[in-house]
């Protein structure tokens, strides 16, 4: 029997792109010698397992609708996948799973994590893969079933710290190429020096004050 426990999730400080390091403790409870392990992990967000203040609820309307609908719309959803190869061990070991992040607000996880600023993010991590065991008669192959899972409450600020580290004070919006072409033309015609100035000017013309 091989069991998995998430012991922590932290920002990967020296990654080229925004990433988390998921710390996982692996225990081979029956005492087998594990020669190596090809480990995969699916990370899901369980939004129904926590409450939300009014500001967070307003940021989640696009994802779940208004509160009256949450009983039906707040369902677990996929955040992402990751994998690694664990070196050999006997008894137990700890591995770090690299988990890349995105600030794409068209992605459900991006919308959710951008809106939630406090408390914890309820996660379910489901493990699978292949363990290569060293026995008396040679190597044995053992598949890790999907029901080998672990829950974890990740502080919401972990994701925000990662975004602040790589995109300080900024975010990302994906646009159609035709829209980008028009915005580029507007920026050029009015001599605006940055995209920030372009959007602020257009918001002002629409009667919306940006903070």
């Amino acid at each position: 029997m091989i069991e998995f426990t998430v012991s922590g999730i932290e920002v990967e400080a020296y990654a080229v792109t925004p990433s988390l390091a998921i710390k996982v403790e692996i225990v081979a409870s029956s005492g087998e010698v594990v020669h190596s392990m090809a480990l995969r992990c699916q990370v899901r967000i369980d939004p129904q397992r926590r409450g939300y203040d009014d500001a967070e609820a307003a940021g989640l309307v696009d994802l779940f609708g208004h509160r009256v609908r949450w009983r039906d719309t707040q369902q677990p959803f996929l955040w992402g996948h990751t994998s690694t190869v664990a070196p050999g061990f006997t008894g137990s070991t700890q591995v770090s799973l690299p988990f890349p992040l995105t600030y794409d607000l068209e992605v459900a996880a991006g919308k959710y994590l951008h809106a939630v600023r406090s408390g914890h993010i309820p996660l379910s991590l489901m493990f699978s893969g292949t363990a290569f065991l060293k026995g008396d008669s040679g190597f044995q192959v053992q598949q890790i079933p999907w029901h080998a899972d672990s829950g974890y409450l990740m502080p919401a600020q972990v994701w925000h710290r990662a975004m602040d580290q790589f995109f300080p004070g900024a975010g990302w919006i994906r646009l159609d190429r035709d829209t980008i072409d028009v915005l580029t033309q507007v920026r050029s015609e009015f001599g605006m020096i940055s995209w920030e100035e372009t959007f602020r000017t257009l918001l002002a013309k629409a009667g919306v004050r940006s903070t």
Side-chain angles (χ1 to χ4, degrees):
M1 174 71 73
I2 298 177
E3 299 176 341
F4 302 88
T5 302
V6 179
S7 58
I9 300 179
E10 59 191 40
V11 179
E12 188 63 70
Y14 302 106
V16 177
T17 59
S19 301
L20 299 180
I22 303 174
K23 308 296 183 180
V24 180
E25 183 178 2
I26 307 173
V27 177
S29 57
S30 55
E32 298 105 330
V33 178
V34 179
H35 178 71
S36 65
M37 181 183 298
L39 183 62
R40 298 187 298 273
C41 179
Q42 180 185 107
V43 184
R44 300 179 68 85
I45 296 175
D46 300 327
Q48 76 284 1
R49 288 171 47 198
R50 57 155 289 168
Y52 304 90
D53 62 29
D54 290 342
E56 291 170 335
L60 295 171
V61 168
D62 188 43
L63 196 58
F64 302 125
H66 295 285
R67 286 187 188 271
V68 294
R69 299 183 54 208
W70 283 8
R71 181 182 295 272
D72 299 321
T73 59
Q74 274 198 350
Q75 302 295 329
F77 60 90
L78 178 67
W79 186 5
H81 295 87
T82 181
S83 62
T84 192
V85 175
F89 67 93
T90 302
S92 66
T93 190
Q94 187 175 89
V95 299
S96 179
L97 290 167
F99 192 69
L101 302 177
T102 178
Y103 209 159
D104 186 348
L105 297 183
E106 296 298 316
V107 177
K111 292 180 182 179
Y112 178 85
L113 294 164
H114 176 77
V116 178
R117 301 301 179 96
S118 62
H120 292 80
I121 307 298
L123 302 178
S124 293
L125 297 96
M126 290 166 280
F127 299 94
S128 65
T130 306
F132 301 92
L133 309 179
K134 187 180 296 184
D136 295 335
S137 59
F139 289 105
Q140 299 176 344
V141 176
Q142 178 178 320
Q143 297 299 318
I144 301 168
W146 275 112
H147 65 257
D149 59 3
S150 178
Y152 186 75
L153 295 176
M154 184 189 79
Q157 282 301 309
V158 170
W159 183 84
H160 290 282
R161 284 200 300 271
M163 295 302 107
D164 289 341
Q165 177 178 321
F166 287 88
F167 312 119
W172 295 94
I173 299 176
R174 186 173 61 185
L175 300 173
D176 289 339
R177 292 178 182 175
D178 291 343
T179 303
I180 294 173
D181 290 341
V182 173
L183 287 169
T184 301
Q185 182 178 355
V186 170
R187 176 179 170 179
S188 177
E189 288 179 356
F190 287 90
M192 299 172 187
I193 63 174
S194 68
W195 286 115
E196 184 74 21
E197 182 183 0
T198 303
F199 283 110
R200 286 183 180 272
T201 300
L202 293 174
L203 286 171
K205 289 183 178 297
V208 178
R209 293 184 61 186
S210 57
T211 57

